[in-house]
Amino acid sequence: MSDPIHPAASILVEPEVDASSTPLQANGNPRPFLELRGISKSFAQGKQQLQVMENISLTVHEGEFVSVIGPSGSGKSTLLQMIGGVMLPDQGDIILQNQRINGLQGKAGYMPQQPALLPWRTIEKNVILARETAGMPRQESLALARNWLDKVGLGGFARAYPRTLSGGMQQRVAFLRALLGPQSLLCLDEPFSALDAFTRSEMQAWLLRIWEENRRSVVFITHHIEEALLLSDTIYVLSSRPAHVIQKVPVPFPRPRREELVDTPEFIALRRQLTEALRAELNG
Amino acid sequence: MSIRAWWKGIWPPFGAVVLLLVLWQLATSLFQIEDWILPSPARIAQEAEKSYTSLLGHTWATLKLTLSGFGIGAATGLIVAGVLHYIPFLRRALYPLLILSQNIPLIALGPLLIIWFGFGLLSKLIVIVLVCFFPITVAALGGLAGTDRVMMNYMQMIGATRGQIFWKLELPYSLPAVFSGLKIAATYSIMGAIIAEWISSSEGLGYYMLLQQSAFRTDRMFVAIMIVIAFSLIMFSLIVLLEKWCIRWQNDSTAHPKGGIDRV
């Protein structure tokens, strides 16, 4: 296959960032790519206000993989809905590349818990959906999609309908759809939680490999500690409702990482630490 | 689908129809029922062959009327559904009125339409449009409102505009519902056409039936009824075919991949 795709593909590896909008701070550290500052949110439940989030702050640097873990019901997904602009925080700011994006939709690529592929579109046409809605040229997008589908071993399914794919394969397609979208930030909302244990660990290894080759800024929601440790650079542990950050854990393991990492003593120690933090939160 | 499987599906209703015709034929000769009360199937078939040429013009008139009425009605129904869906306030305001409007008997409306719009084509078209658009509007509104929440949320998260959400998600999602509305409307539209021709016409199957009724030509009325049934079935089947083509992603067995391996 001739290869006219690479110029476009390189955009993915280094998302186009307006250089003027990323000034360096005085100490030389780049400003965070994404910053949540003091996010609070409550929902009306009958006549009562149910406080779900309290003063949550977190940062994602460019090319950083950040996981958010916490007990179910701690509003982790709500956080992504806010970054995606579908929901507004009651208080606080969401800053992406120095721009306040509260309530602005389409600023982040998104991979939901269910694949949410459109059943009437073929796989390749699903992959280009995010590019298409952003008005990017169709032929170029299709070529890029086919190239990527080949790369992840789904080339034979390019013109199949989602119905014919297994759950794990559908999630790969959903990830490609987010990855190939025009947004440089990716929000992944418990993407593997509906998969069986074996497929899940396969998918983790797959995501790890693709991400390490492409290094995008990621916010990854999960309640799976091992998954978070294997994939992330930084983990934020949320409390139960009202959620606030109880720990920010840097994950020290060098990259590229391999699955075997989970059996090392350092990994096990860190896993225990996180498990205990979460357990204390649930019992406390 | 193999011929055998097709036959397996088709023979019970086919057999029932044949049985019914045989019973009918036997009953008319056994009880010596007079032709002007209930003609036998054989007699109806004979009459169909004889009056074939004179019926052609009437059939064509009804066909034209039905198809144009159905076309306008379907388009109106879809547009009304789109507008009501797009403007929720309008939907809340008008939906109950839409339901209410269906309690007006069509027959009662006919004479009124003639006063307003005369004996021409317009009154007849309005009758058909009125019966057609309602099932389509209700079905399409239901389909549009039932859009998958997860897919909707995805589209919003990636910044799709209202229009993009409509064309890329809501409309395709509502297609199965729209088609069930179209199927109902298709049979209604033929009924509407016949009624419209009873009320005001000088051609068409409805007019022909009134004419034959006054001459007690029951056999000819039956011929007309058979044509109406055949016509109705053909229209229904065409819509089913169109539906299969439009929603081919649902049951397509040809898209099975050849080279795909679920590789890690």
Side-chain angles (χ1 to χ4, degrees):
Chain A
M1 188 178 175
S2 66
D3 210 352
I5 290 130
H6 268 303
S10 67
I11 294 171
L12 291 167
V13 181
E14 293 167 82
E16 275 183 304
V17 177
D18 186 1
S20 63
S21 70
T22 53
L24 299 182
Q25 277 180 327
N27 59 10
N29 280 335
R31 292 280 303 273
F33 192 73
L34 170 77
E35 200 180 353
L36 304 189
R37 285 187 199 149
I39 303 288
S40 296
K41 178 79 186 170
S42 58
F43 292 110
Q45 198 180 53
K47 283 177 183 166
Q48 290 182 338
Q49 286 288 314
L50 185 68
Q51 184 84 21
V52 289
M53 266 176 222
E54 210 170 60
N55 196 22
I56 291 184
S57 295
L58 62 84
T59 55
V60 181
H61 288 280
E62 184 154 8
E64 189 183 22
F65 197 116
V66 171
S67 288
V68 178
I69 62 174
S72 24
S74 60
K76 302 183 296 280
S77 297
T78 311
L79 217 51
L80 288 195
Q81 298 292 318
M82 289 178 188
I83 297 172
V86 172
M87 229 178 249
L88 278 171
D90 295 341
Q91 276 159 37
D93 293 315
I94 302 157
I95 317 261
L96 180 73
Q97 292 174 286
N98 289 334
Q99 191 200 355
R100 186 171 176 273
I101 58 160
N102 291 28
L104 290 181
Q105 296 183 350
K107 292 293 176 184
Y110 179 54
M111 176 178 181
Q113 201 167 339
Q114 288 98 32
L117 303 176
L118 305 186
W120 49 87
R121 283 180 167 236
T122 56
I123 293 302
E124 60 184 12
K125 289 192 178 132
N126 263 293
V127 171
I128 66 167
L129 184 60
R131 295 174 73 85
E132 193 181 297
T133 50
M136 299 168 94
R138 187 181 170 84
Q139 285 312 316
E140 196 186 302
S141 299
L142 273 175
L144 185 68
R146 284 181 201 131
N147 195 25
W148 268 94
L149 284 168
D150 277 339
K151 217 186 275 186
V152 302
L154 290 174
F157 292 89
R159 290 194 173 84
Y161 289 101
R163 190 177 59 76
T164 60
L165 270 66
S166 70
M169 288 151 95
Q170 292 194 19
Q171 277 300 29
R172 283 172 211 210
V173 175
F175 179 73
L176 281 189
R177 181 177 61 180
L179 185 74
L180 301 198
Q183 303 92 345
S184 30
L185 174 72
L186 300 185
C187 291
L188 316 185
D189 188 2
E190 303 200 34
F192 307 143
S193 60
L195 303 174
D196 62 85
F198 180 70
T199 313
R200 180 174 199 145
S201 73
E202 263 188 354
M203 286 296 293
Q204 288 163 4
W206 181 83
L207 180 65
L208 183 63
R209 201 192 70 211
I210 304 258
W211 181 81
E212 284 183 343
E213 284 164 10
N214 296 279
R215 294 283 176 144
R216 298 280 288 273
S217 310
V218 170
V219 183
F220 186 84
I221 303 287
T222 182
H223 54 246
H224 196 286
I225 294 169
E226 198 170 290
E227 183 173 280
L229 276 172
L230 180 67
L231 295 167
S232 326
D233 298 309
T234 308
I235 298 175
Y236 286 86
V237 184
L238 295 190
S239 67
S240 43
R241 214 160 40 214
H244 53 270
V245 177
I246 48 176
Q247 267 191 50
K248 176 188 177 185
V249 183
V251 183
F253 311 119
R255 294 186 187 271
R257 295 176 188 166
R258 288 291 156 256
E259 275 173 287
E260 294 75 51
L261 179 66
V262 301
D263 298 320
T264 61
E266 296 84 357
F267 190 94
I268 294 168
L270 209 48
R271 187 175 64 195
R272 188 170 303 137
Q273 181 197 326
L274 282 169
T275 311
E276 271 158 20
L278 271 177
R279 189 176 298 147
E281 189 49 43
L282 280 174
N283 298 335
Chain B
M1 195 161 57
S2 71
I3 299 220
R4 209 165 153 186
W6 178 79
W7 180 244
K8 208 175 167 184
I10 208 78
W11 83 261
F14 187 75
V17 169
V18 170
L19 188 70
L20 191 72
L21 287 176
V22 168
L23 285 178
W24 181 354
Q25 182 72 40
L26 287 177
T28 45
S29 54
L30 206 66
F31 303 117
Q32 301 187 332
I33 300 173
E34 293 199 54
D35 269 351
W36 64 270
I37 295 180
L38 181 69
S40 71
R43 164 109 196 112
I44 293 170
Q46 272 170 16
E47 184 54 42
E49 210 186 336
K50 259 190 280 174
S51 49
Y52 163 74
T53 41
S54 67
L55 265 167
L56 219 57
H58 290 298
T59 306
W60 176 237
T62 304
L63 185 75
K64 270 195 301 191
L65 181 63
T66 308
L67 288 184
S68 29
F70 176 69
I72 299 171
T76 315
L78 288 176
I79 292 169
V80 168
V83 170
L84 292 194
H85 178 71
Y86 200 80
I87 309 169
F89 174 76
L90 265 190
R91 181 187 168 135
R92 282 200 302 278
L94 297 183
Y95 196 76
L97 291 184
L98 269 179
I99 304 279
L100 205 66
S101 76
Q102 292 309 297
N103 291 314
I104 305 170
L106 191 62
I107 295 268
L109 221 54
L112 200 58
L113 288 174
I114 287 169
I115 293 179
W116 287 341
F117 303 105
F119 282 91
L121 180 67
L122 188 61
S123 319
K124 286 184 275 184
L125 277 180
I126 289 176
V127 168
I128 304 173
V129 168
L130 280 179
V131 286
C132 259
F133 102 103
F134 178 75
I136 295 177
T137 300
V138 170
L141 271 177
L144 288 170
T147 305
D148 186 274
R149 301 325 298 170
V150 181
M151 293 179 196
M152 176 65 101
N153 182 252
Y154 172 78
M155 294 298 277
Q156 291 169 337
M157 288 287 281
I158 62 164
T161 61
R162 192 79 175 77
Q164 285 173 328
I165 290 177
F166 181 78
W167 292 109
K168 292 183 201 296
L169 175 62
E170 292 179 312
L171 188 66
Y173 203 93
S174 70
L175 274 185
V178 168
F179 270 105
S180 63
L182 283 176
K183 279 183 264 185
I184 297 172
T187 47
Y188 278 18
S189 68
I190 297 166
M191 181 194 74
I194 300 294
I195 291 178
E197 284 168 351
W198 284 350
I199 295 167
S200 84
S201 203
S202 52
E203 55 174 359
L205 291 171
Y207 166 77
Y208 179 84
M209 283 169 80
L210 279 191
L211 213 62
Q212 301 309 324
Q213 181 207 27
S214 51
F216 284 92
R217 288 302 301 265
T218 319
D219 50 350
R220 288 188 173 167
M221 290 174 72
F222 266 103
V223 173
I225 290 172
M226 292 301 164
I227 294 174
V228 169
I229 292 174
F231 181 21
S232 185
L233 278 178
I234 291 171
M235 222 165 133
F236 192 85
S237 320
L238 285 179
I239 293 174
V240 169
L241 279 182
L242 187 67
E243 178 184 22
K244 284 222 166 105
W245 185 78
C246 282
I247 314 177
R248 58 191 176 283
W249 47 270
Q250 235 173 15
N251 42 14
D252 115 315
S253 50
T254 56
H256 270 304
K258 291 187 188 83
I261 306 157
D262 193 5
R263 210 189 303 150
V264 179

